[in-house]
Every structure is written in structure tokens, then in C-alpha cells.
Amino acid sequence: SLLLKALSTRFTGATAPMLGVNRFTHDVALAYRGPRPPSHSEGRNNIELLNSDQNIDGVHYDLSHLIITMRDAQRAEILALCQQLLGFEFSIKKEDEDNDLSDRYIAVEGKPLRKASTGTRLIVRLITECKDPRIDRVLIDEPELGLAPQMQRKLAYLLSDEEMRRTHFPHLKSVFISTHSHLFLDKKVLRNNFIVSRQDLQISVQRVETIQQFHQLQFDLLGELT
């Protein structure tokens, strides 16, 4: 996480947001509250995030506000992609079906997203953030949180496969991930993987160069198998 924060200082907060681990709690009621927020960072840049005297992994903008201020086509793409990944029906419903001016909410199989599983809500959050056309890079800390291995595998494929990225996130030049899951390792390009180690207060980073190093990294992430 620290290395990801340090890397984030190379980019501006508006075009390269860091998505921290505190992604579980967010408002998903779609009530319009003014213009679209200026950026993911809402005025907080990545250098401030690194230099803070407190380890803050919070989310610095309102997910529901981002969704409701998107264009209809963008919102439809997000729901379609979530449906494709999860296999559930996603839609936008009114809080009061008899009132056209009622607030809306995202529905999963007809029920409010707020009642859906943690994994479902996290997938919606990550996809929505990555779909924002204003960003060109994204840094994700532990994307595996709250996700079953099968869903981790699907998300990893979505973010790493070149054709999938061109189809769904053509604006993204790079995706940086800090992970404890072997399912998010890049198996096609070994040099895209890095091993982070720590000795006392000394942190070192080593690029994976050989298949032997890659296999060792896989085993280390899997932990003791006995």
C-alpha cells in the first residue's frame, strides 16, 4: 500500500486516483445534489495522501454523485458490465414507482444495491471508478477485498486483458495494483509483476524476471499449503 501511494505521487490526483481499501461503505441512493464533482480526489492530491501523518485509506468522493451525474449511455455501460461479470440483472428503479420525481436507486435482481452482498457492491464501485473518462490511470489497493476467488479471477481478467481494456476502459493507459492474491498476477508479461519485501525499515522492490521468480511469488502469496 505504501509503495502504491508513493507511485501515485508521480501522477495528478484528478487523472490518476488511488482507490484505497476503505471501499465498503458508500451511499448508493441516486439523489441529485448539484453539478458533477471536479475529480476523484475532490481537491486532495496524491502527495498529500502520501505525506499525511495518518494512514488514510478512505474514499474521497461520493460514488452515488458520480453515477447520477454521468450520461445515460455511461451509466448503461456500467450496469451492463456489472451484469456481465456477476450474472445478476442490474437496473435503475424509482424509490416510489408512482412518482416520476422520486429518487432513484441501483437495483440488483429488483432489490436495492445497498442490500446486496459486499462483493457485489465493491464490483460496482470499482467498475464505476474505472469507467470515469476523466482518468487515464488508476491505482487499486487490494482489489481482492470482499471478493470470492471466482470473482477475483473475472475482475483480474477485465483489468489485465488488452482487448477487454480497449472495449470497456479505452481511456485507461495503465492499471497499477497492490495485491495479496495470486489471481491478480500478470501471467502473460512476467516483468509486469514486482515483489515487495521489507527488512526492518528498509523496503525493496524487485521486478520478476524469470518463471522461477514468478512461481516463487505465487507460492508466497498462497502461503503455507501444509
Side-chain angles (χ1 to χ4, degrees):
S1 299
L2 178 62
L3 180 62
L4 203 65
K5 289 179 182 178
L7 180 62
S8 73
T9 63
R10 297 184 57 186
F11 313 113
T12 60
T15 62
M18 177 172 169
L19 312 184
V21 296
N22 186 14
R23 300 187 294 266
F24 289 87
T25 303
H26 53 266
D27 181 17
V28 290
L30 304 182
Y32 188 77
R33 294 188 296 278
R36 194 175 192 182
S39 72
H40 281 63
S41 60
E42 290 189 350
R44 181 184 179 88
N45 63 50
N46 291 337
I47 295 179
E48 289 176 333
L49 183 65
L50 178 65
N51 293 336
S52 173
D53 59 2
Q54 180 180 353
N55 189 10
I56 299 175
D57 293 310
V59 176
H60 304 295
Y61 78 107
D62 187 338
L63 174 65
S64 63
H65 199 185
L66 178 61
I67 292 176
I68 200 170
T69 52
M70 282 182 165
R71 296 187 180 277
D72 291 340
Q74 292 174 310
R75 205 158 37 240
E77 288 176 4
I78 290 171
L79 298 183
L81 184 53
C82 290
Q83 185 164 319
Q84 177 184 334
L85 279 179
L86 295 165
F88 303 137
E89 180 186 3
F90 281 78
S91 60
I92 302 291
K93 289 185 173 293
K94 295 184 292 185
E95 293 282 359
D96 183 351
E97 288 297 334
D98 296 323
N99 182 359
D100 286 338
L101 299 182
S102 171
D103 289 344
R104 267 64 169 174
Y105 64 91
I106 296 177
V108 184
E109 297 289 307
K111 298 181 180 180
L113 176 62
R114 62 180 176 270
K115 296 183 179 181
S117 69
T118 299
T120 297
R121 288 183 283 119
L122 289 175
I123 285 289
V124 173
R125 175 166 210 105
L126 287 175
I127 289 178
T128 301
E129 290 168 328
C130 289
K131 270 289 191 181
D132 190 339
R134 296 173 296 173
I135 67 174
D136 54 19
R137 295 173 177 84
V138 65
L139 301 95
I140 308 175
D141 193 7
E142 301 185 35
E144 68 272 15
L145 289 181
L147 302 182
Q150 181 183 13
M151 189 50 56
Q152 291 181 37
R153 204 172 281 113
K154 289 183 178 181
L155 181 59
Y157 177 66
L158 176 65
L159 295 176
S160 64
D161 184 77
E162 291 185 7
E163 184 175 347
M164 292 290 282
R165 284 261 295 279
R166 282 195 299 268
T167 300
H168 300 292
F169 313 114
H171 52 284
L172 287 183
K173 298 176 182 177
S174 306
V175 176
F176 300 90
I177 289 174
S178 171
T179 183
H180 297 283
S181 171
H182 69 286
L183 297 175
F184 284 92
L185 297 178
D186 191 334
K187 301 176 180 62
K188 293 183 179 179
V189 184
L190 298 186
R191 299 185 83 250
N192 281 346
N193 301 288
F194 294 83
I195 302 170
V196 181
S197 57
R198 175 177 174 178
Q199 181 67 37
D200 296 326
L201 297 178
Q202 184 69 34
I203 297 175
S204 60
V205 183
Q206 179 185 12
R207 185 191 291 270
V208 172
E209 301 283 359
T210 67
I211 190 65
Q212 289 79 13
Q213 288 178 315
F214 181 78
H215 286 161
Q216 185 59 54
L217 177 57
Q218 283 183 308
F219 291 137
D220 290 344
L221 291 177
L222 286 169
E224 295 293 335
L225 300 179
T226 57

